């Protein structure tokens, strides 16, 4: 993938947080980037402008990843505007934390539908084109909670563990078509998602992180950049934890 041909990537949840840094980084890597977001239109327009100012091309489309039809039209719009997609990154995700005993059914559903169905919907929409072209790289964003579990996050952890099984199956199924599928499982990263954490949770997390700091979204984007590039041409079905050592 490291030539001068125009290359196209899609990123779900690209308007903020980790997804936003992935959009910026892939644009710097030479991709034209289509990204989707759910509601924050202003953030999306700002990001398009920022990429343009850096000499790249990005197109933000409002689409709900939990809705298959919405994702299909996002992918269609990106392909019509930018060209065939060769890299897909699923970063759209939400949390609705509660102990299982108090978990409202709607919060279970919302998290599974956004995080797990969302990854399915985007991968399902791009995989045929990748198979036809015999090339593609998919990176699904999971979480260390999906590997180890986390109290009050049974819904979130289930969705993120599901992403791992899904991605490994995809890797086995599509490797023969030159498609790679990998998982990035972050620990605590500074974004709006972790800004919502209470002081006590943040302090406990810092005490448990070997590097004694939260990660930066750019650090996750750097790993994603590696995984979509030819530098990782023999890497597939792998789960990369990027967590400052919180799990050791
Ligand atoms: P964030 O700052 O809250 O950003 C979430 C992004 O996802 C926003 O662009 C949001 O768009 C979009 N989004 C949410 N629901 C969507 C939907 N239904 N359809 C389309 N887009 C949707 O989150 P983040 O911290 O960057 O997290 C990104 C990913 O990394 C998530 O999958 C998360 O689970 C995972 N992760 C994060 C951490 C962490 O510490 N931050 C740790 C482990 C894993 P709008 O702004 O328009 O709503």
């Amino acid at each position: 993938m490291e030539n001068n041909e125009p290359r196209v990537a899609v990123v779900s949840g690209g308007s903020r947080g980790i997804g936003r840094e992935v959009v910026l980084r892939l644009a710097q890597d030479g991709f034209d980037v289509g990204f989707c977001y759910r509601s924050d239109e202003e953030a999306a327009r700002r990001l398009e402008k920022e990429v343009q100012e850096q000499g790249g091309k990005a197109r933000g489309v409002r689409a709900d990843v939990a809705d298959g039809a919405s994702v299909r039209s996002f992918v269609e719009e990106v392909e019509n505007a930018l060209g065939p997609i060769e890299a897909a990154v699923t970063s759209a995700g939400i949390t609705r934390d509660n102990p299982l005993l108090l978990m409202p059914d709607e919060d279970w559903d919302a998290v599974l539908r956004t995080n797990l169905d969302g990854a399915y919907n985007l991968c399902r929409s791009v995989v045929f084109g990748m198979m036809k072209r015999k090339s593609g790289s998919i990176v699904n964003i999971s979480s260390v909670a999906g590997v180890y579990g986390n109290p009050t996050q049974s819904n979130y952890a289930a969705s993120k563990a599901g992403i791992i099984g899904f991605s490994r199956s995809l890797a086995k199924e599509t490797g023969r078509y030159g498609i790679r599928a990998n998982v990035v499982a972050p620990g605590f990263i500074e974004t709006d998602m972790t800004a919502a954490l209470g002081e006590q949770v943040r302090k406990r997390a810092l005490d448990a992180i070997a590097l004694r700091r939260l990660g930066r979204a750019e650090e996750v984007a750097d790993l994603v950049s590696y995984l979509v590039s030819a530098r990782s041409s023999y890497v597939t079905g792998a789960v990369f934890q990027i967590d400052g050592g919180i799990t050791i």
Side-chain angles (χ1 to χ4, degrees):
M1 279 202 263
E2 248 116 42
N3 55 32
N4 292 323
E5 293 297 303
R7 302 171 298 166
V8 179
V10 281
V11 180
S12 74
S15 58
R16 291 188 292 117
I18 292 171
R20 180 180 187 281
E21 291 305 321
V22 169
V23 170
L24 285 166
R25 178 59 198 262
L26 295 187
Q28 282 158 16
D29 291 349
F31 282 95
D32 292 347
V33 189
F35 67 91
C36 77
Y37 61 98
R38 182 186 43 183
S39 52
D40 196 343
E41 168 128 32
E42 226 172 89
R45 299 288 88 86
R46 268 201 309 275
L47 178 57
E48 282 177 345
K49 196 155 168 258
E50 205 174 322
V51 170
Q52 199 182 7
E53 280 163 6
Q54 289 177 2
K57 205 192 272 185
R59 188 182 182 101
V61 177
R62 188 192 291 257
D64 180 356
V65 292
D67 175 359
S70 175
V71 174
R72 283 192 293 279
S73 68
F74 158 56
V75 165
E76 214 177 285
E77 186 173 333
V78 171
E79 295 214 304
N80 288 338
L82 304 177
I85 292 164
E86 65 178 73
V89 182
T90 65
S91 186
I94 58 168
T95 51
R96 296 278 187 279
D97 297 354
N98 243 317
L100 183 60
L101 195 60
L102 303 175
M103 180 76 68
D105 290 348
E106 313 77 273
D107 286 358
W108 175 269
D109 287 343
V111 168
L112 268 290
R113 285 176 52 73
T114 303
N115 299 3
L116 184 55
D117 294 10
Y120 160 77
N121 284 328
L122 185 59
C123 294
R124 177 71 183 83
S125 300
V126 299
V127 78
F128 182 57
M130 289 179 173
M131 286 167 84
K132 271 200 307 194
R133 292 185 293 279
K134 296 213 164 11
S135 147
S137 178
I138 290 169
V139 180
N140 293 317
I141 308 290
S142 173
S143 163
V144 291
V147 182
Y148 300 94
N150 206 22
T152 76
Q153 289 200 313
S154 59
N155 51 357
Y156 183 75
S159 72
K160 295 300 187 179
I163 282 177
I164 294 173
F166 169 70
S167 306
R168 286 181 166 153
S169 302
L170 197 56
K172 286 190 173 182
E173 212 174 284
T174 61
R176 73 190 65 185
Y177 299 99
I179 299 170
R180 298 182 297 107
N182 289 291
V183 174
V184 169
F188 283 91
I189 308 298
E190 294 276 11
T191 67
D192 294 343
M193 191 178 268
T194 44
L197 295 174
E199 232 0 86
Q200 224 185 345
V201 179
R202 182 176 275 262
K203 189 180 173 311
R204 263 207 314 273
L206 282 174
D207 287 345
I209 297 168
L211 293 176
R212 291 293 188 271
R213 66 171 176 85
L214 269 60
R216 294 187 299 273
E218 305 92 276
E219 293 173 309
V220 181
D222 200 27
L223 178 55
V224 173
S225 161
Y226 163 74
L227 288 171
V228 301
S229 77
R231 286 171 287 152
S232 59
S233 52
Y234 201 56
V235 180
T236 195
V239 179
F240 290 83
Q241 287 181 210
I242 173 160
D243 62 10
I246 197 172
T247 57
I248 51 177

